[in-house]
Amino acid sequence: MATSSLVSFLCLSSPKTKFRPMAALNKSSRTYELKKGQTRLYHKLPSGLKMEVIEQRKEKDERRRRSEKENPPLVFVHGSYHAAWCWAEHWLPFFSSSGFDSYAISLLGQGESDEPLGTVAGTLETHASDIANFIESNLSSSPPPVVIGHSFGGLIVQYYLANISNKQPLVTEATNAYPDISGAVLVCSVPPSGNSGLVLRYLFTKPVAAFKVTLSLAAKRFQTSIPLCRETFFSSAMDDHLVQRYQDLMKESSRMPLFDLKKLNASLPVPKPKENSTNVLVLGAKDDFIVDDEGLKETGRFYDAEPVCIEGVAHDMMLDCSWEEGAEVLLYWLSKPRNLPA
């Protein structure tokens, strides 16, 4: 089996529990329906392209109750084969009800965002710059946000972290540096060196899993196989109808690859921040089918952060049967003054 084909593996997990899905595919418009309190925005980038953002502001009672302390807004960044809807399903309602204005971005070429020219959606640099432009344009009057990235979205957040601390200008606006952020959260993130190390470990230690990863993601069989989709992204307890609902959303979400993986891997590892003043939470899943324990530890070492590995959840932590587990850990981390600047 060629290593190059395996390198096409993207964000994943391991997978029957019955609960009603909140995000639903609207068959007539080919979009998905939002829940009460959510708004779909379209942020216009300097290029003229528009980026979908699902917004859910904190509840009015929470605004009054927490008026003495303004929580930072939360900005959520998805990984491959996903879009903003994956956060809108559970985590946006959870965190907005906990007092946080929450924004989930669909990267270009994903969800309802515009498609750029070319065959791929962008690079680490362009995706991070798009996030920075959204923050600068929409959240400048708030406390600096906490940015949360999942899987390859976590790698984009890592690139953002490196460039904010190194004060690099935006690729789209050479006069402006990346806006400050209050914290960063890496959820089942691809490690700083990329997925090549993960691929090699799978080849030598888990050849059957390596084959399944390639079949599921490189060959996109997760789009047609319920069992393979479950094993790739979810816990084994997730019910078939729910896996199929998310499978349909994934098929509609990603109209072009996030990256050229060959070029991406050649550009890694991401630069290490020179001044790592931003606190980082490294969050992993015990049943993650993609990012193994060593990958999680690598990310923790890179940011001098002790990883938190959550039992009973898979790669798509924010969608899985026990999605509350990861949300509660993140909420606890956000509540600690030592983790976020005053």
Side-chain angles (χ1 to χ4, degrees):
M1 186 184 306
T3 301
S4 60
S5 64
L6 272 176
V7 172
S8 296
F9 105 114
L10 311 171
C11 46
L12 354 33
S13 302
S14 319
K16 230 168 173 168
T17 283
K18 297 183 179 180
F19 60 92
R20 184 179 178 183
M22 294 183 182
L25 192 64
N26 183 328
K27 296 297 183 182
S28 60
S29 64
R30 310 311 298 171
T31 62
Y32 46 90
E33 299 174 358
L34 302 181
K35 298 187 295 299
K36 182 180 179 181
Q38 295 181 348
T39 304
R40 181 180 284 110
L41 311 173
Y42 293 93
H43 171 67
K44 189 173 182 179
L45 296 165
S47 64
L49 296 175
K50 293 181 180 178
M51 190 166 64
E52 177 193 27
V53 180
I54 298 178
E55 172 193 70
Q56 188 159 7
R57 307 293 294 274
K58 58 191 171 189
E59 297 176 359
K60 291 181 180 179
D61 287 346
E62 285 297 327
R63 290 179 184 278
R64 289 194 295 267
R65 188 180 305 140
R66 297 167 184 264
S67 59
E68 295 181 2
K69 179 198 172 195
E70 186 176 5
N71 290 327
L74 308 181
V75 177
F76 295 88
V77 184
H78 64 85
S80 298
Y81 299 123
H82 292 64
W85 66 266
C86 72
W87 302 107
E89 177 80 338
H90 299 301
W91 281 27
L92 259 59
F94 177 87
F95 285 103
S96 65
S97 67
S98 300
F100 294 86
D101 289 337
S102 301
Y103 305 84
I105 289 172
S106 289
L107 299 167
L108 290 180
Q110 323 299 309
E112 297 302 306
S113 293
D114 289 341
E115 296 182 26
L117 295 176
T119 58
V120 297
T123 64
L124 283 179
E125 184 179 19
T126 61
H127 288 312
S129 290
D130 291 344
I131 294 165
N133 182 263
F134 168 76
I135 292 171
E136 183 176 49
S137 301
N138 297 276
L139 304 179
S140 59
S141 62
S142 306
V146 175
V147 184
I148 300 105
H150 175 252
S151 198
F152 267 109
L155 196 62
I156 295 169
V157 173
Q158 292 178 54
Y159 185 89
Y160 190 112
L161 269 175
N163 286 283
I164 188 174
S165 61
N166 297 339
K167 299 301 179 185
Q168 293 299 308
L170 300 183
V171 66
T172 52
E173 298 183 31
T175 58
N176 297 327
Y178 282 68
D180 287 333
I181 59 177
S182 295
V185 183
L186 307 176
V187 182
C188 300
S189 178
V190 173
S193 63
N195 62 4
S196 298
L198 302 173
V199 168
L200 290 173
R201 286 194 295 274
Y202 269 59
L203 276 172
F204 290 109
T205 64
K206 300 178 181 179
V208 174
F211 172 76
K212 287 182 177 181
V213 166
T214 303
L215 185 66
S216 181
L217 294 172
K220 298 185 180 180
R221 285 290 299 276
F222 80 88
Q223 295 182 347
T224 56
S225 169
I226 295 294
L228 197 54
C229 185
R230 178 189 291 112
E231 188 170 11
T232 301
F233 296 104
F234 308 113
S235 295
S236 60
M238 187 172 279
D239 188 75
D240 282 359
H241 82 276
L242 188 52
V243 176
Q244 184 168 10
R245 187 68 64 92
Y246 293 150
Q247 182 186 60
D248 288 342
L249 284 162
M250 290 180 199
K251 284 189 285 189
E252 294 293 326
S253 293
S254 188
R255 303 185 306 283
M256 59 198 312
L258 275 183
F259 307 103
D260 179 321
L261 289 176
K262 185 175 180 180
K263 291 181 180 178
L264 173 67
N265 284 318
S267 72
L268 297 174
V270 295
K272 191 171 181 67
K274 292 179 181 178
E275 299 175 5
N276 194 8
S277 58
T278 303
N279 282 332
V280 178
L281 171 63
V282 178
L283 199 54
K286 185 68 173 178
D287 298 332
D288 197 326
F289 192 59
I290 300 254
V291 181
D292 61 7
D293 186 59
E294 180 54 38
L296 183 65
K297 289 178 180 177
E298 177 194 328
T299 305
R301 288 193 298 268
F302 196 80
Y303 294 102
D304 298 320
E306 184 66 30
V308 178
C309 191
I310 301 177
E311 301 276 348
V313 293
H315 186 72
D316 272 17
M317 182 186 296
M318 64 288 192
L319 292 171
D320 210 8
C321 303
S322 299
W323 62 266
E324 303 99 327
E325 299 291 333
E328 291 286 0
V329 170
L330 174 50
L331 182 61
Y332 178 79
W333 185 82
L334 290 169
S335 71
K336 296 301 175 184
R338 67 177 180 274
N339 292 325
L340 302 178

